[in-house]
């Protein structure tokens, strides 16, 4: 017989004993269910249930091991050597299949379920396949090893012989030497990958293998790692900005899975400051940057966070056994014995049996994607106001899986809501998206609060305006730009296509920053604020609907001017009415400039009034045609196209007329931001504030001037801008405010500056001494956000930003208020609700609120304290 009855009894003795104990506990549970009904006994009953289930699992496990041992005994008999060879060969083949299926193992299973039986089956197989394969492999290996033990004749029967103790001592010795000498970070794939990363990226700036060499030409052609290629985290600390954060996943396979929501890992960061895990930090001065980068890229590892939670411990066991590891062990921030690196091989055993946790001792770091793939989680933890995310994961279905994963986690862990519309990034039937990036809002204190941030989300996509070589590669490769990363060996065409697409995308997204004369003023605040205006998601079929509505608008304006009531025309063009009501005569190229104080007869004023309105009506129609063609012909990109040459000359002719140059600063707000920028860049039409340091005074443009209002009552009684303010806001006690009016000086009909003045905004400012100021005696200027006012009909012309800059220059100029020295300005925000009953403002209201806050931040204002949680009030301050 291949196995004796006695040996069978010995093999199954322990499972039988455990099974007996399990049955006894099960009987106790049945009795307890019958007689114990008091509530305070519920924890005891629950404890018995847990013990019963664990004993049952242990019994089943030991029974399986006993069966495998008996199977090994069968294969280890002399008569069954052929079966042993077949078993060993099968184990080897399946092991090769396991190591080959790299992408199958490392791709995270998306947290969705199929809506059909086929989709559900595919999803189940993707989860179950690696588990089954790895389980079969280690079972076969176990049986083969057991068979070899039986062939050796190892048994408790010869426990007092050398044949028993020799293999036992050899096994213990191998384990001891492995723990003492085997450094998992220096032996295997981690060290190989780290060396290549160091040479390829960090070594690109290392011009010599000898730091003392003087001849640096041609010395950086080496393939293997060279001296001085790498730096330590301590050396990174010498660079103040930017702070390089290397995001990784700290595996937590043996920790409390309930606390980490069964994610299998927590987010961690390596930087020049060391390692941070949640709110715990510690320095890692000797850790090399290349090792940190390798850990951050360790997609193929024995422990893979959320991926390993799906694959199970068998996969981790085999990957460790075959040394398929890219991860890195570092000391936990709470580890008091940080210098103790004795027995490094023990970490290999920890990986082998999935013994990683994040509560102390040491951390096992792997690819950040094993927690989330962007690094966005850690930036939200740090309360960053401005975040730019590049989503470059392979996403052939454009399902935004990585984005959805991180949005869930920042909401669950931090209570932060990220509002992002990704519809413009989804490709159509022709694989073309509308744009390369979208801009969203980070709500740090809930949707109704005012603690906001801005996120620019960039995803590789094709919009159709890419260079020809990129489009050619896309035509030949349907998955571009979302090809899989299993093939790490890019050829020239693939590498250059991805590089050029990224360059093109960022050039398109941030092209507005490269306008002439704006480079020195593109602070992060202003850049992200302007990006919000340029890349705000647009409704579907906007172009078609826009042109149709423009036609209806033109017909309405034509009917208004030809048949409409004169009073309604005057009310619509209130700016012209405000000028002519003050008795200003129209000027011709031969008329001298008239003053606003010159009285005229009512018939003359009425005739002038009608003429100005007729001119404005025609200019509005011309500008509408401009905008229609700007949308339809995409003039931003194709204004120099030969087919558009006639249109451009036609528009240049209109833009050169004194009437257009006179009234464009007033009517520009009726059109989109894109058209306003197009007209400014192509036709040099608009208004400037001559007191601005960046203003070019050699241009013949309308001018803006800030002045202090002496007669406040008259200003609010006669100014059309003040009247529009009163329509939406109650007028405060003007005695408590300094009133600063912002006047637009128009061009006349000869193209030169006239004396005609049109107020386009004002500011109501209070002035108070700064408490405990240094130096003493300084003052601060304060205003409510509503009291820096430009009418909505003019707000798109850039008057608001120019008015704020002018107010700040007013208070930084010692000559403005000689008796007082101002050191700071404050603006106060009130809750963002359109009505007292609205407790949760809609998306548009939230967008407007964030835009207003970012507008002040782009001018150097910063938060003062936290938001008032009861009233929602918030204050921003600028100091000089």
């Amino acid at each position: 017989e291949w196995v004796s009855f006695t040996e069978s009894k010995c093999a199954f003795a322990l499972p039988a004993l455990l099974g007996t104990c399990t049955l006894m506990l099960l009987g106790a549970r049945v009795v307890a269910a019958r007689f114990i009904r008091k509530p305070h006994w519920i924890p005891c009953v629950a404890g018995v249930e847990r013990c019963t289930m664990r004993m049952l699992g242990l019994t089943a496990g030991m029974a399986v091991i006993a069966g495998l041992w008996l199977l090994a005994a069968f294969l280890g008999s002399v008569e069954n050597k052929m079966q042993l060879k077949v078993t060993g060969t099968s184990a080897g083949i399946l092991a090769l299949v396991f190591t080959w299926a790299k992408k199958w193992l490392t791709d995270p299973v998306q947290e969705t379920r199929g809506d059909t039986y086929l989709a559900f089956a595919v999803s189940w197989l993707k989860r179950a396949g690696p588990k089954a394969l790895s389980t079969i492999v280690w079972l076969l290996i176990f049986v083969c090893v057991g068979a070899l033990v039986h062939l050796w004749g190892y048994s408790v029967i010869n426990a007092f012989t050398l044949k028993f103790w020799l293999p036992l001592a050899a096994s213990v010795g191998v384990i001891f030497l492995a723990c003492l000498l085997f450094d998992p970070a220096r032996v295997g794939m981690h060290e190989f990958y780290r060396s290549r990363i160091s040479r390829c990226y960090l070594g690109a700036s290392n011009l010599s293998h000898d730091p003392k060499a003087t001849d640096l030409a041609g010395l950086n052609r080496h393939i293997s790692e060279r001296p001085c290629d790498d730096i330590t985290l301590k050396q990174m600390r010498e660079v103040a900005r930017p702070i390089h954060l290397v995001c990784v996943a700290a595996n937590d396979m043996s920790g409390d899975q309930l606390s980490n929501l069964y994610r299998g890992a927590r987010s961690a960061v390596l930087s020049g400051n060391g390692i941070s895990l949640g709110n715990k930090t510690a320095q890692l001065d000797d850790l090399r940057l290349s090792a940190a980068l390798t850990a951050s890229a360790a997609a193929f590892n024995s422990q893979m966070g959320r991926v390993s939670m799906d694959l199970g411990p068998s996969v981790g066991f085999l990957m460790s056994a075959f040394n398929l590891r890219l991860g890195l062990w570092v000391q936990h921030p709470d580890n008091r014995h940080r210098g103790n690196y004795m027995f490094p091989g023990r970490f290999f055993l920890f990986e082998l049996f999935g013994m990683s946790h994040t509560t102390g001792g040491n951390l096992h770091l792997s690819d950040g994607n094993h927690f989330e793939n962007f690094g966005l989680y850690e930036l939200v933890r740090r309360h960053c106001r401005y975040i730019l995310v590049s989503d470059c994961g392979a996403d052939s279905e454009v399902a935004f899986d990585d984005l959805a994963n991180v949005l869930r986690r920042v909401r669950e862990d931090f209570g932060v809501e990220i509002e992002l519309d990704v519809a413009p990034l989804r490709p159509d039937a022709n694989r073309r998206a509308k744009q390369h990036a979208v801009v969203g809002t980070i709500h740090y204190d809930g949707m109704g609060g005012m603690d906001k941030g801005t996120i620019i989300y960039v995803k590789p996509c094709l919009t159709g305006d890419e260079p020809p070589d990129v489009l050619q590669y896309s035509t030949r490769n349907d998955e571009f730009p979302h090809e899989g990363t299993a093939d790490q060996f890019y050829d020239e065409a693939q590498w250059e296509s991805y590089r050029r697409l990224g360059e093109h995308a960022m050039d398109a997204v941030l092209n507005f920053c490269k306008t002439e004369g704006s480079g020195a003023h593109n602070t992060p605040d202003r850049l992200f604020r302007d990006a919000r205006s340029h890349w705000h998601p647009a409704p579907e079929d906007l172009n078609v609907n826009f042109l149709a509505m423009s036609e209806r608008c033109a017909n309405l304006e034509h009917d208004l001017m030809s048949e409409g009531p004169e009073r309604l025309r005057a009310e619509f063009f209130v700016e012209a009415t405000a000028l002519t009501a003050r008795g200003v005569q129209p000027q011709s190229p031969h008329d001298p400039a008239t003053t606003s104080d010159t009285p005229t007869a009512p018939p003359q004023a009425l005739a002038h009034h009608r003429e100005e309105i007729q001119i404005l009506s025609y200019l509005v129609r011309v500008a509408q045609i401009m905008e229609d063609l700007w949308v339809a012909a995409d003039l931003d990109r194709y204004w120099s196209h030969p087919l558009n040459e006639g249109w451009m000359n036609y528009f240049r002719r209109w833009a050169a007329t004194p009437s257009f140059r006179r009234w464009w600063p007033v009517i520009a707000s009726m059109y989109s931001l894109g058209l306003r920028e197009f007209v400014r860049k192509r036709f040099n039409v608009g208004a400037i504030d001559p007191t601005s340091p960046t203003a070019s005074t050699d241009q013949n443009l309308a001018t803006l001037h800030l002045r202090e209002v002496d007669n406040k009552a008259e200003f609010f009684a006669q100014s059309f801008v003040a009247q529009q303010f009163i329509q939406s806001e109650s007028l405060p006690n003007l005695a408590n405010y300094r009133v600063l009016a912002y006047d637009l000086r128009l061009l006349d009909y000869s193209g030169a500056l006239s004396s005609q003045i049109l107020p386009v905004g004002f500011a109501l400012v209070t002035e108070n001494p700064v408490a405990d100021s240094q130096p003493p005696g300084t003052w601060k200027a304060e205003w409510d956000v509503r009291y820096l006012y430009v009418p909505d009909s003019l707000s798109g012309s850039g008057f608001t930003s120019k008015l704020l800059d002018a107010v700040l220059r007013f208070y930084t100029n010692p000559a403005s208020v000689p008796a007082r020295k101002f050191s700071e300005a404050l603006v106060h925000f009130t809750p963002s609700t359109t009505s007292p009953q609205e407790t949760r403002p809609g998306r548009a209201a939230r967008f407007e609120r964030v835009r207003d806050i970012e507008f002040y931040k782009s001018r150097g204002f910063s938060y003062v304290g936290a938001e008032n949680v009861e009233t929602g009030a918030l204050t921003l301050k600028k100091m000089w």
Side-chain angles (χ1 to χ4, degrees), residues 408-419:
R408 295 188 190 102
R409 296 195 169 180
V410 298
R411 183 189 302 119
E412 294 164 353
D413 295 358
F414 306 131
V416 174
E417 188 72 34
I418 299 180
E419 193 171 18

Side-chain angles (χ1 to χ4, degrees), residues 650-705:
Y650 177 74
F651 293 151
R652 288 190 183 99
R653 183 178 292 272
W654 274 109
T657 61
S659 297
F660 189 93
R661 300 182 68 83
R662 169 182 171 85
W663 285 111
W664 176 252
V666 175
I667 67 174
S669 59
M670 300 168 61
Y671 307 97
S672 64
L673 172 64
L675 180 67
R676 296 197 300 267
E677 293 185 348
F678 178 77
V679 171
R680 178 182 60 82
K681 290 189 292 185
R682 301 296 163 217
F683 308 137
N684 192 30
V685 182
I688 61 171
D689 190 328
T691 62
S692 173
T694 60
S696 178
T697 56
D698 59 348
Q699 298 177 350
N700 186 23
L701 302 174
T703 59
L704 294 157
H705 301 275

Side-chain angles (χ1 to χ4, degrees), residues 306 368-378 405-406 409:
R306 61 188 178 121
N369 187 33
H370 297 155
F371 184 84
E372 65 95 2
N373 203 25
F374 295 161
L376 177 60
Y377 184 91
E378 290 297 333
N405 175 60
V406 69
R409 296 195 169 180

Side-chain angles (χ1 to χ4, degrees), residues 379-666:
L379 297 181
V380 171
R381 184 201 298 276
R382 286 156 175 77
H383 215 105
C384 293
R385 301 292 180 184
Y386 303 116
I387 299 175
L388 193 152
V389 168
S390 178
D391 179 3
C392 292
D395 186 11
S396 58
E397 297 178 350
V398 194
F400 300 94
D401 295 316
D402 291 333
L403 176 64
N405 175 60
V406 69
L407 293 184
R408 295 188 190 102
R409 296 195 169 180
V410 298
R411 183 189 302 119
E412 294 164 353
D413 295 358
F414 306 131
V416 174
E417 188 72 34
I418 299 180
E419 193 171 18
L420 197 64
D421 185 355
V422 297
L425 302 178
R426 296 184 184 277
D428 57 18
N430 298 321
R431 298 169 53 210
R432 297 293 184 265
K434 292 183 178 179
Q435 53 198 53
H436 294 283
V438 292
V439 180
T441 302
I442 308 171
H443 301 278
Y444 282 107
D445 56 352
M447 304 293 274
M450 290 188 294
D451 187 1
K452 309 298 184 186
T454 301
I455 178 173
I456 300 178
Y457 176 76
V458 183
K459 189 175 183 67
C461 58
L462 300 171
T463 59
D465 60 344
E466 289 78 16
D469 60 310
V470 176
L471 295 177
Q472 179 273 339
Y473 186 86
S474 171
T475 302
R476 296 299 184 188
N477 301 271
D478 292 339
E479 293 187 356
F480 179 80
H482 294 289
E483 297 173 278
T485 57
D487 179 11
Q488 295 282 305
F489 299 95
Y490 282 21
D491 58 19
E492 179 187 2
Q494 189 176 21
W495 178 275
E496 176 59 17
S497 296
Y498 277 99
R499 188 205 66 80
R500 186 65 181 91
L501 176 62
E503 182 183 46
H504 166 79
M506 292 313 301
D507 182 73
V509 171
L510 302 178
N511 184 58
F512 62 87
C513 296
K514 299 193 297 185
T515 56
E516 295 182 4
S518 62
H521 310 288
N522 283 318
T523 62
D525 301 282
R526 186 167 300 188
L527 184 149
F528 278 80
R529 187 205 65 175
D530 292 346
R532 181 181 292 277
S533 300
H534 282 80
W535 301 111
H536 193 63
E540 292 290 334
D541 300 325
L542 174 64
N543 289 8
V544 177
N545 297 331
F546 180 87
L547 296 177
M549 295 305 298
S550 297
E551 183 178 358
R552 295 178 59 184
C553 179
N555 294 335
L556 173 62
E557 292 170 359
H558 179 267
D559 294 341
L560 175 64
M561 299 311 303
S562 60
E563 303 174 3
E566 184 175 334
R567 178 183 295 275
L568 183 58
R569 291 198 296 265
E571 292 174 348
F572 185 75
F573 295 108
V574 64
E575 295 86 357
T577 305
L579 287 178
T580 56
R582 298 171 65 184
V584 180
Q585 291 282 1
Q587 296 178 348
S588 66
H590 305 290
D591 292 334
T594 59
T595 63
S596 60
D597 299 325
T598 305
T600 60
Q604 294 174 316
L606 183 59
H608 176 51
H609 163 81
R610 291 173 178 171
E611 182 183 13
E612 293 280 29
I613 289 180
Q614 288 178 344
I615 292 173
L616 270 172
S617 174
Y618 279 100
L619 294 178
V620 167
R621 295 173 66 181
V622 168
Q624 189 61 62
I625 295 174
M626 280 188 182
E627 186 168 41
D628 291 351
L629 192 69
W630 175 78
V631 172
D634 197 3
L635 289 183
D636 261 345
R637 289 189 293 174
Y638 301 114
W639 61 271
S640 62
H641 194 282
L643 291 178
N644 292 326
E645 183 178 1
W647 282 113
M648 290 299 297
N649 291 336
Y650 177 74
F651 293 151
R652 288 190 183 99
R653 183 178 292 272
W654 274 109
T657 61
S659 297
F660 189 93
R661 300 182 68 83
R662 169 182 171 85
W663 285 111
W664 176 252
V666 175

Side-chain angles (χ1 to χ4, degrees), residues 60 100 179 215 245 306-307 533 583 738:
W100 171 78
C179 291
D215 183 14
L245 303 181
R306 61 188 178 121
V307 181
S533 300
R738 185 188 295 272

